Amino acid sequence: MEILIVGALQKEIDGLLADLKNGEQVRAGAFTLSRGTYANHTVYLSKCGVGKVYSAAATAAALTAFPSIECVINIGVSGGIGGSKRGMIVVSDKTVHHDFDGTPDGLKLGQLEGFDSEFLPCDGEMVARMEKALKAENLPYRIGTIASGDQFIASKEKGEWIHNTFGAVACDFESAPINQVCLVYGVPFIAVRAISDNGDEGAVESFYTFLERVAANGTRAVEAFLRLS
């Protein structure tokens, strides 16, 4: 299988990068990817940069340059909301753009033009396989909605609003835009996010304090997924 794994920050993909065999650098448009093998899969690792535009552009560039890619995983750390705690893994069964508002044009909050719901579905088979991997690794996890927006959520009030409005259990910058691109390209997708903070006033300090530690949990989860695939 050929798999694209996208992370916003270098530290979010370093663990996987260290374990790739026969690694090489390849170009996809303006982006440089690392390509290698893991558990008999061809893996493309992309450090896309933070935010919706970078993540969507990097994903589209990779899927265009390497049309043999069969599925996409977004990895990284995330803010926990709706009871998700630091160190837990959240796997997306759907995503939503929490900062997209087309309601004046008759759309639901978060709904994109051309989609019949505000929620963007993820691949059910990949979700089930990841859940099996997480159980094998004995990692705490939740499956649910990940909400994305070009905002670092560092307010308890804002985090609660996102949870109450969309039922989301994690918030980030990249999951929904990458999912959107994958839906356009017809490529299966899930996001696997390790919770680094609680989406409140202490989020920034917590994020940088626990980034590497919780990112390692995400690496364990994805590598277990690859071994099962």
Side-chain angles (χ1 to χ4, degrees), residues 4-53:
L4 171 64
I5 300 175
V6 184
L9 302 172
Q10 188 65 42
K11 288 183 179 180
E12 294 174 327
I13 66 169
D14 273 343
L16 287 164
L17 182 61
D19 293 335
L20 285 187
K21 308 295 185 187
N22 306 311
E24 60 177 341
Q25 290 193 329
V26 294
R27 293 287 293 179
F31 298 88
T32 300
L33 287 69
S34 296
R35 179 172 62 190
T37 58
Y38 185 89
N40 296 318
H41 301 292
T42 298
V43 176
Y44 295 83
L45 283 178
S46 173
K47 182 188 79 67
C48 64
V50 175
K52 288 186 170 185
V53 173

Side-chain angles (χ1 to χ4, degrees), residues 210-221:
F210 294 99
L211 170 59
E212 293 185 50
R213 187 185 308 175
V214 298
N217 287 343
T219 298
R220 282 178 59 196

Side-chain angles (χ1 to χ4, degrees), residues 4 27-31 33 55-67 69 181 185:
L4 171 64
R27 293 287 293 179
F31 298 88
L33 287 69
S55 59
T59 303
L63 294 178
T64 299
F66 305 105
I69 289 171
V181 170
Y185 276 76

